[in-house]
Amino acid sequence: MNLTDRPRRLRTDGIRSLVSETNLSSTDLLAPVFVDATTDERVEIESMPGHERVPVSEAVARVQEVLDTGVEAVMLFGIPESKDERGTRAWAEDGVVQEATRRVTAATDAYVVTDVCLCEYTSHGHCGVVEDEAETDPTLTVKNDETLELLAKTAVSHARAGADMVAPSSMTDGMVGAIREALDADGHESVPVMSYAAKYESAFYGPFRDAADGAPAFGDRRHYQMDPANGREALREVRLDVEQGADVLMVKPALAYLDIVRAVREEFDHPVAAYNVSGEYAMIHAAAEKGWLDLEATALESLLAMKRAGADLILTYFAEDVAAAL
């Protein structure tokens, strides 16, 4: 054979890394941290091996563990000491995320992002104020406009506590605009908003609901999270968030939605985030425990796929393990 083009020439050890098209760094990763106001000790999350809920008193130590691997940013999720129908602990000055944020920002150099939603704080587990009779009528859902005020109050309370960035995740129409306006009015015009701009109603969220104690007590979230069948709708959702002032655009989940990550990357010039969600993490761990997959290699390949699709940053439960191996 007389082949002019032999791609294998560039796959040998000496040249392979030099011509690699996609690079993954620890600085591309955000590590989720769960802070639990109901416990005085660390509690393992059974469906997410290697992860724990930590008490507020352990928040700094937990974040320092993340930093020691080379990851520089964390996303704080909170489990409050009590819940009610409106999720009032979400914006309390002495709330779990607010107190953890104050401690972490005072004691570490971590870049702190906070999740802005109400599902962990409401007694019904939905992402806002529910309509009357929603518990018994499956056609009813969250009150959109009434929820916006509560999300804005929550974001402001996080910024006052020292959050470097806020990340609204409720898929409430107008949430970015309401939060941006509230932050600016309170003097936090420099705090960016990372919107969960295209968040799907996905079966891959199961373990997270164990971790954050945020499963709906009734019904589901199909009326406000996106239909997994829809791709073009994602661009419409993202465009609305861009127009309202979103600084970073997140797609959630990641692995089953790499086409959406790519579409958002090509359509918009904002930084794109991908959320490598709990179910994606758990299924790789489960297969590795069976001996069917190599855990580290599969995790790394998955994150590389997200970067290759166009993600600039990745929120992942693999952050510490992968960063330590890079």
Side-chain angles (χ1 to χ4, degrees):
M1 298 180 69
N2 185 21
L3 298 177
T4 301
D5 191 352
R6 290 180 180 267
R8 287 179 56 177
R9 293 174 185 142
L10 299 182
R11 294 176 188 161
T12 59
D13 291 343
I15 191 68
R16 189 181 181 96
S17 61
L18 291 176
V19 298
S20 179
E21 299 173 14
T22 304
N23 180 59
L24 184 68
S25 167
S26 61
T27 57
D28 298 326
L29 309 176
L30 290 85
V33 172
F34 298 96
V35 186
D36 189 344
T38 70
T39 184
D40 294 324
E41 58 186 19
R42 297 192 181 202
V43 179
E44 291 185 5
I45 303 170
E46 291 186 5
S47 56
M48 294 171 60
H51 284 272
E52 306 167 312
R53 295 184 185 184
V54 302
V56 173
S57 62
E58 289 277 331
V60 171
R62 178 71 189 96
V63 170
Q64 190 59 55
E65 292 169 4
V66 173
L67 298 179
D68 289 344
T69 68
V71 176
E72 298 178 354
V74 296
M75 173 90 83
L76 297 184
F77 296 89
I79 296 90
E81 60 191 24
S82 63
K83 303 186 180 191
D84 57 43
E85 289 190 356
R86 294 177 66 82
T88 56
R89 294 299 300 173
W91 61 86
E93 183 178 354
D94 61 346
V96 58
V97 167
Q98 291 80 353
E99 182 58 29
T101 298
R102 278 189 288 269
R103 294 187 183 205
V104 170
T105 55
T108 77
D109 293 326
Y111 188 85
V112 176
V113 185
T114 57
D115 178 68
V116 177
C117 196
L118 301 175
C119 59
E120 297 102 322
Y121 302 88
T122 54
S123 53
H124 46 71
H126 281 281
C127 302
V129 181
V130 294
E131 295 177 330
D132 297 338
E133 310 302 327
E135 184 171 355
T136 56
D137 187 343
T139 67
L140 299 179
T141 186
V142 167
K143 296 180 180 179
N144 192 92
D145 294 7
E146 188 174 335
T147 297
L148 293 176
E149 178 186 357
L150 308 187
L151 294 172
K153 290 167 65 174
T154 301
V156 168
S157 74
H158 290 180
R160 288 177 177 175
D164 296 298
M165 176 186 284
V166 296
S169 60
S170 68
M171 287 301 286
T172 308
D173 292 346
M175 65 183 184
V176 172
I179 287 171
R180 182 74 271 159
E181 182 179 355
L183 288 172
D184 291 354
D186 203 60
H188 303 290
E189 61 277 353
S190 296
V191 174
V193 176
M194 177 167 64
S195 175
Y196 289 61
K199 180 179 178 181
Y200 287 82
E201 189 209 7
S202 172
F204 287 100
Y205 299 153
F208 175 88
R209 291 170 181 172
D210 292 336
D213 193 22
F218 53 83
D220 53 42
R221 293 171 177 157
R222 72 186 188 280
H223 291 158
Y224 46 100
Q225 293 180 356
M226 288 182 57
D227 183 348
N230 293 356
R232 295 189 303 273
E233 182 189 1
L235 297 182
R236 179 184 175 204
E237 279 277 9
V238 173
R239 185 171 292 107
L240 288 169
D241 283 3
V242 168
E243 292 170 354
Q244 292 170 34
D247 299 285
V248 181
L249 309 169
M250 183 185 285
V251 176
K252 179 182 180 183
L255 277 179
Y257 297 85
L258 293 179
D259 60 322
I260 308 302
V261 175
R262 168 55 63 183
V264 173
R265 170 73 289 144
E266 292 179 346
E267 186 73 14
F268 303 96
D269 60 3
H270 287 52
V272 176
Y275 196 150
N276 180 210
V277 298
S278 59
E280 297 166 348
Y281 175 84
M283 67 183 185
I284 291 175
H285 258 278
E289 288 174 5
K290 289 281 191 179
W292 296 340
L293 291 175
D294 180 289
L295 178 63
E296 183 178 303
T298 308
L300 178 59
E301 185 177 339
S302 298
L303 300 185
L304 279 170
M306 297 166 208
K307 281 294 298 288
R308 192 182 66 246
D312 298 291
L313 55 153
I314 303 170
L315 179 61
T316 176
Y317 303 97
F318 286 118
E320 294 167 86
D321 292 337
V322 168
L326 289 174

